[in-house]
Amino acid sequence: MKMQIKEFAEFTGVSVRTLHYYDEIGLLRPAEVDRITGYRFYDEDSLFRMQEILFYRELDFSLKSISKILSSPGYDKSKALQEQKQLLILKKERLERLISAIDNAGKGENVVKAFDNSKFEIYKAEAQERWGNTDAYKEHAEKTKNYGMDKWSSLASDMDIIFRKFSICMKNGLESGSEEPQSLVKKLQNYITENYYNCTKEILSGLGQMYVADERFKNNIDKHADGTAAYVCEAISHYSKKE
C-alpha cells in the first residue's frame, strides 16, 4: 500500500498542512519522497504510526510528549495500547459524570466535584513518565501524585493569570524582549519548577514552541487576545538566549 499525501490525509482525517508539520518536527516522516517531483508517499507503517499519534492526541498529549513516547527505546506498542485504553476509560467516566452533572445542576445542586480530572491527569503523567523516560516526567509524577481537584484548579487559574498578563503587555505594545514580558517569563519558569518539574531554559523553550504548535494550548492562551501564544513564545525565545 502506498498513498500520496493528499490521499493519506483524507484517509486519516488530518490536513495536508498537519502532515507537513509532523514531517518537519520528525513526528511522522513520509515513507518515501520522490526526488524529482518532491511528492510524499505514505505506506502501511505510516498508517500504524498515525494511529498511535491519533490515540495520544485524543488523550490530550502534546506533540512533544507523543514524539518522546514513540521514540523511547523501551516503547512497547501492545502495552501502550492498554495504557491508552485505560486513559480513554477514565476520560469516558469523566464525560459521563459531566453529563449527569448537567441534570443535577439544573436541579440546583452543587456539582463542582464532577469536574475533578485528577485521576486522569495522574495516570497520564505516569504514562508519560513510563514511555517518555525523562527526568522531567519523573519529577512531574512525583510532585503531582497527591494533587486533588482544588490544587489542579488553583494551578490552572494561576497559569491563566500569567498568560493574561502577557496579553496585556502585548496589547500595550511592549516588545516581547523588554523588561516586563521577560519578568513574566521568569515568573512562568519559576512557577512550573515549583509546581511541576525543574523547568530548564531548554524545556521552557520547548514549551514556548508547543504553545503555538499545539492548537489546544494556542486556543487557550489566545482567549485573552489573538496572538498572545505567539507573543509568549517569542518572549520565551528572547529569555532562553540570555546567558
Side-chain angles (χ1 to χ4, degrees):
M1 180 198 77
K2 189 162 70 171
M3 292 184 280
Q4 288 191 20
I5 189 169
K6 185 177 180 181
E7 184 183 4
F8 188 75
E10 291 174 351
F11 188 84
T12 57
V14 300
S15 67
V16 170
R17 182 180 179 182
T18 296
L19 290 174
H20 279 296
Y21 182 68
Y22 285 1
D23 182 14
E24 181 183 331
I25 64 175
L27 182 58
L28 177 64
R29 303 284 194 191
E32 179 186 334
V33 178
D34 190 294
R35 292 184 179 180
I36 299 175
T37 64
Y39 291 164
R40 293 171 166 88
F41 293 93
Y42 295 82
D43 58 13
E44 190 171 4
D45 287 339
S46 307
L47 197 58
F48 281 114
R49 174 84 169 187
M50 176 57 79
Q51 175 180 285
E52 292 177 294
I53 292 169
L54 291 174
F55 268 127
Y56 281 116
R57 291 290 288 152
E58 185 64 30
L59 292 164
D60 300 326
F61 281 70
S62 69
L63 295 179
K64 185 176 180 180
S65 296
I66 297 171
S67 181
K68 285 183 177 180
I69 289 171
L70 297 183
S71 61
S72 172
Y75 183 67
D76 184 311
K77 291 183 181 181
S78 178
K79 290 181 179 179
L81 280 172
Q82 293 305 310
E83 296 269 7
Q84 291 164 349
K85 179 180 178 181
Q86 183 60 36
L87 282 166
L88 285 168
I89 289 172
L90 291 173
K91 188 173 183 179
K92 173 176 172 285
E93 289 174 351
R94 180 170 185 263
L95 289 173
E96 289 174 344
R97 288 200 310 274
L98 290 172
I99 291 170
S100 296
I102 290 175
D103 294 330
N104 295 331
K107 299 173 185 176
E109 296 180 20
N110 187 324
V111 296
V112 70
K113 287 188 178 294
F115 293 89
D116 183 6
N117 200 32
S118 57
K119 189 175 181 181
F120 175 87
E121 291 296 339
I122 292 171
Y123 196 94
K124 177 179 171 181
E126 290 174 350
Q128 289 176 318
E129 174 193 347
R130 189 173 297 111
W131 302 116
N133 195 29
T134 66
D135 291 337
Y137 281 138
K138 291 176 181 177
E139 188 176 357
H140 179 281
E142 181 61 29
K143 278 193 174 183
T144 64
K145 65 182 180 181
N146 294 319
Y147 285 4
M149 180 188 64
D150 290 343
K151 179 65 173 179
W152 284 113
S153 178
S154 175
L155 290 174
S157 177
D158 289 344
M159 290 284 281
D160 202 51
I161 289 171
I162 294 173
F163 290 130
R164 178 166 55 81
K165 289 181 178 179
F166 272 114
S167 74
I168 293 172
C169 289
M170 181 186 70
K171 287 186 282 189
N172 288 339
L174 298 180
E175 293 291 331
S176 60
S178 61
E179 183 178 354
E180 191 172 345
Q182 289 301 290
S183 68
L184 283 174
V185 175
K186 179 63 176 176
K187 184 175 182 179
L188 177 64
Q189 182 185 33
N190 289 342
Y191 194 77
I192 293 171
T193 296
E194 180 182 349
N195 294 285
Y196 297 103
Y197 47 76
N198 181 32
C199 187
T200 64
K201 282 189 174 181
E202 181 183 3
I203 291 176
L204 186 65
S205 180
L207 288 173
Q209 295 171 27
M210 183 180 68
Y211 291 156
V212 293
D214 191 307
E215 286 299 318
R216 294 171 301 111
F217 283 96
K218 182 178 182 297
N219 292 338
N220 185 56
I221 296 171
D222 279 355
K223 70 184 179 185
H224 299 293
D226 287 342
T228 303
Y231 183 80
V232 173
C233 179
E234 189 176 292
I236 289 175
S237 178
H238 282 297
Y239 179 86
S240 298
K241 292 174 182 176
K242 295 178 183 177
E243 293 295 334

